[in-house]
Amino acid sequence: MNHNPDDLIMLFNDLFRESFRTILVRGSDEPEYLPASEPDGLAWVVFAHGFFASALHEIAHWCIAGEHRRTLHDYGYWYCPDGRSLEQQQAFEQVEVKPQAIEWLFSLAAGTRFHISVDNLAGSGAADEPAFRDNVCGQASRYLACGLPSRAQQFFDTLKSFYGTADRIQHCWHQDKRRVAPTAPEYDHSRILEPL
């Protein structure tokens, strides 16, 4: 299967250019989010180096950013680059659970391989990589059971349709979670009383 980031640009822009005045843009270096600079302008979700996985990850961040956050550069979030201390890494791992869970589901829908990222090669490494993997897996499982946030669900459904993966998602999910988070507990879908 061909995984061309230009396809993601087309799909994202078709979905969100008019409704949210936002476009996906191939960047050359670091990913970032640039809010619209004028009332009728467009916000930019910029992904790094033209990488397919970077595009999915940056789209995931955009999909969970609230209305106010989408008016701020990089959603107004703190970001400390690679080389983080243990405390900084713990904070990073806490805020990355939902975006990486959504990115994982986007990867499944696109039929591509997901790689969890603690993004701290020059620092102290992961604060607790097994727990991080389990948390991302648990969140992805809850999203599959209850549905993703609205914009993420739209993009997820679009990816499934475009890549023809809808019939294989559950099977691929069960295989992939054993690869990505082999120690993650099984998620009990019967305990869900209402959507999260």
Side-chain angles (χ1 to χ4, degrees), residues 108-178:
L108 286 174
T112 189
R113 192 172 178 94
F114 169 74
H115 298 280
I116 206 151
S117 175
V118 296
D119 190 33
N120 198 25
L121 299 175
S124 61
D128 186 344
E129 188 167 349
F132 181 59
R133 287 177 179 276
D134 290 352
N135 290 337
V136 171
C137 184
Q139 183 64 62
S141 187
R142 285 188 292 279
Y143 282 144
L144 273 176
C146 301
L148 290 107
S150 175
R151 286 171 285 136
Q153 188 69 53
Q154 280 184 273
F155 196 67
F156 180 65
D157 293 341
T158 297
L159 289 172
K160 288 188 297 184
S161 175
F162 185 80
Y163 289 101
T165 59
D167 295 340
R168 301 190 314 263
I169 288 291
Q170 288 298 327
H171 173 73
C172 291
W173 164 248
H174 290 294
Q175 284 187 325
D176 216 30
K177 72 180 178 179
R178 286 192 294 272

Side-chain angles (χ1 to χ4, degrees), residues 8-9 12-14 16-18 20-26 32-34 41-47 59 62:
L8 297 180
I9 291 170
F12 183 93
N13 294 353
D14 283 353
F16 302 118
R17 180 185 180 103
E18 297 307 318
F20 285 91
R21 305 295 300 155
T22 304
I23 58 173
L24 182 65
V25 178
R26 179 192 307 256
E32 66 181 323
Y33 172 73
L34 302 168
L42 295 171
W44 288 18
V45 176
V46 181
F47 64 100
I59 293 167
W62 180 81

